[in-house]
Amino acid sequence: MYLTRMRPEQIRAAVKDGLPLIMAAGVVEYHGPHLPIGTDVMLADYICTEVEKQCPCVVAPPISFGPTLSWAGGPQDGEIDFDPAPFYAYVKELLKRFRMIGFKRIYIVQHHQGMEGLQALSLRRAAAELTREETLEWGHSWGWKAMEELPNPLVFETIQVGGIDKYVAYPPDNAGPMPIGHAGKGETQMIQHIDPLTVHMEALGSIAREQLPEWLLDAAEADPAVGKYWLDLCVDGWVRTIKQ
């Protein structure tokens, strides 16, 4: 189910049934001459839509803009660097409203600069502050109570933020790690799988090999079949986690 396509009675039913809400978070930034500028959010949103096909949940619209630090490109390349202060404030307000609707579990699939980048830190800060504000209303020493006696027994699990590969279970014949590097082989082959019409591999030839940044050096090695392999593992991990 998709939040923006649901009617009020469907939303109330989803909340009553305890369905989790899942949403993507990415950015719009330069991903080399061969990939779309929305690569990050496209990958995160793909995980959400595939998860929805395999387990009951509500998919919220993605957070498409966030802090990029303009490290890969500039406005002329379509890159949009979002100040972390208003970004954090927007995310906190958004998550607060989801909680007011009644969602007890909220999962954010974050794909940009790993879990220590400005976007991930802003998302986690918003989640942490909402958790603290909720527990402040319970007074002190609430840790002495049994979890089932608390207003929200899942308080430490209510909002979870993780990368697309956070829950990947590596098979015995492939110990990983999963290749994800910015605009390189990892992201390129995943986008080749989910939206091949947006990829123009020949454009890599517009930049002399000796001028390519390190993160683009292996992009030409991308294989869409391998991209699907890794994406399937990512989706399986998120489905497994949400079903638990």
Side-chain angles (χ1 to χ4, degrees):
M1 291 183 287
Y2 290 80
L3 184 65
T4 53
R5 302 177 190 174
M6 297 170 71
R7 298 185 303 278
E9 74 274 12
Q10 292 175 306
I11 294 175
R12 286 190 286 269
V15 169
K16 182 179 180 181
D17 292 339
L19 297 190
L21 181 139
I22 184 171
M23 68 184 305
V27 298
V28 173
E29 67 174 344
Y30 177 75
H31 274 78
H34 65 303
L35 290 180
I37 59 176
T39 287
D40 286 354
V41 71
M42 288 168 66
L43 291 174
D45 199 43
Y46 174 85
I47 300 298
C48 295
T49 57
E50 291 299 306
V51 166
E52 190 270 343
K53 295 175 183 177
Q54 299 185 40
C55 65
C57 63
V58 175
V59 180
I63 297 173
S64 299
F65 301 97
T68 72
L69 299 178
S70 298
W71 80 274
Q76 73 279 3
D77 303 305
E79 178 140 350
I80 298 176
D81 178 30
F82 215 93
D83 188 304
F87 174 77
Y88 145 77
Y90 170 77
V91 170
K92 182 177 179 181
E93 189 67 19
L94 182 62
L95 293 175
K96 182 189 296 184
R97 300 300 161 176
F98 288 153
R99 293 287 290 117
M100 290 174 67
I101 289 174
F103 289 107
K104 295 292 194 298
R105 289 185 297 152
I106 299 171
Y107 296 94
I108 302 177
V109 184
Q110 195 279 147
H111 184 61
H112 174 61
Q113 295 181 344
M115 292 308 296
E116 299 305 321
L118 278 181
Q119 173 162 279
L121 293 175
S122 297
L123 292 167
R124 291 158 63 191
R125 177 190 171 191
E129 290 193 3
L130 288 175
T131 298
R132 183 173 186 273
E133 290 171 8
E134 179 178 359
T135 58
L136 281 176
E137 298 178 0
W138 302 352
H140 60 78
S141 304
W142 54 269
W144 288 74
K145 298 179 181 179
M147 291 298 290
E148 61 270 18
E149 296 177 3
L150 297 175
N152 178 13
L154 297 175
V155 64
F156 294 119
E157 305 171 22
T158 298
I159 304 173
Q160 298 187 45
V161 183
I164 63 173
D165 62 334
K166 179 176 175 63
Y167 302 110
V168 166
Y170 291 103
D173 61 342
N174 193 335
M178 172 182 170
I180 294 184
H182 179 82
K185 176 176 67 175
E187 287 191 335
T188 298
Q189 60 195 13
M190 289 190 286
I191 292 294
Q192 283 178 323
H193 169 65
I194 68 174
D195 199 345
L197 294 179
T198 65
V199 183
H200 183 46
M201 295 300 291
E202 292 77 9
L204 284 169
S206 65
I207 304 176
R209 176 79 179 178
E210 60 272 14
Q211 294 180 331
L212 286 174
E214 183 178 356
W215 37 275
L216 280 179
L217 289 178
D218 65 354
E221 303 171 15
D223 181 339
V226 178
K228 179 182 184 303
Y229 169 82
W230 287 114
L231 284 167
D232 287 347
L233 286 182
C234 290
V235 172
D236 289 345
W238 277 95
V239 169
R240 186 175 60 253
T241 298
I242 292 175
K243 283 185 174 179
Q244 289 175 351

